Amino acid sequence: MSAPILVLNQNAKRETGRRAQLTNIAAARAVGDVIRTTLGPRAMLKMILDAQGGIVLTNDGNSILREIDVQHPAAKSMIELSKTQDEEVGDGTTSVAVLASELLALAEPFLHRNIHPTKIVSAFFRALDDAVTIAT
């Protein structure tokens, strides 16, 4: 059995542990911050330069996420999350990305306090159960 061959950029760095978790959160929050201002009654338009060199003005979060080019895997996951929301439901693409970004932002202080990620996730699930119980 031969060793796996990895094709990486020469400048690519591999991060592990807490640093990787915090970098992933920062990348996901950056995507959320880009489209956060497109929500609500005071939504702002974003000017995007598309692949053909044209300028697109939009406040549609899904359009913005389709046009931006990101390299970070966590940021790509946020864009995939939004695409999946669009395919499955057809609406809420901006909201789902902003909500996921905020949940990660809420988890960050717990990571700084050395709380294990599985504990943080189980706490989010308990909060979800409580919210559903209260809502019904």
Side-chain angles (χ1 to χ4, degrees):
M1 187 163 138
S2 64
I5 298 173
L6 297 176
V7 179
L8 297 173
N9 183 351
Q10 292 285 340
N11 299 325
K13 296 178 189 172
R14 183 170 174 85
E15 293 182 349
T16 58
R18 187 72 48 179
R19 183 179 170 106
Q21 291 168 342
L22 296 176
T23 304
N24 289 341
I25 290 173
R29 287 183 67 187
V31 171
D33 289 343
V34 165
I35 61 170
R36 177 185 324 279
T37 57
T38 64
L39 285 174
R42 302 180 84 197
M44 293 189 287
L45 292 172
K46 300 286 184 191
M47 185 183 307
I48 304 168
L49 186 64
D50 66 11
Q52 290 80 26
I55 295 175
V56 178
L57 285 173
T58 183
N59 67 351
D60 177 36
N62 190 31
S63 298
I64 294 167
L65 292 176
R66 271 183 290 160
E67 292 295 331
I68 61 175
D69 181 34
V70 295
Q71 298 301 317
H72 196 279
K76 287 181 181 179
S77 293
M78 292 290 286
I79 293 172
E80 283 299 316
L81 174 70
S82 182
K83 284 181 185 175
T84 302
Q85 177 74 12
D86 186 41
E87 291 168 2
E88 295 294 323
V89 180
D91 194 21
T93 55
T94 304
S95 300
V96 74
V98 171
L99 181 62
S101 169
E102 285 302 310
L103 286 173
L104 288 170
L106 290 172
E108 189 172 9
F110 296 110
L111 289 173
H112 285 296
R113 290 174 41 196
N114 292 324
I115 297 175
H116 198 274
T118 56
K119 294 286 187 185
I120 297 169
V121 170
S122 63
F124 279 136
F125 277 120
R126 281 203 326 255
L128 173 64
D129 292 340
D130 290 346
V132 168
T133 302
I134 292 169
T136 55

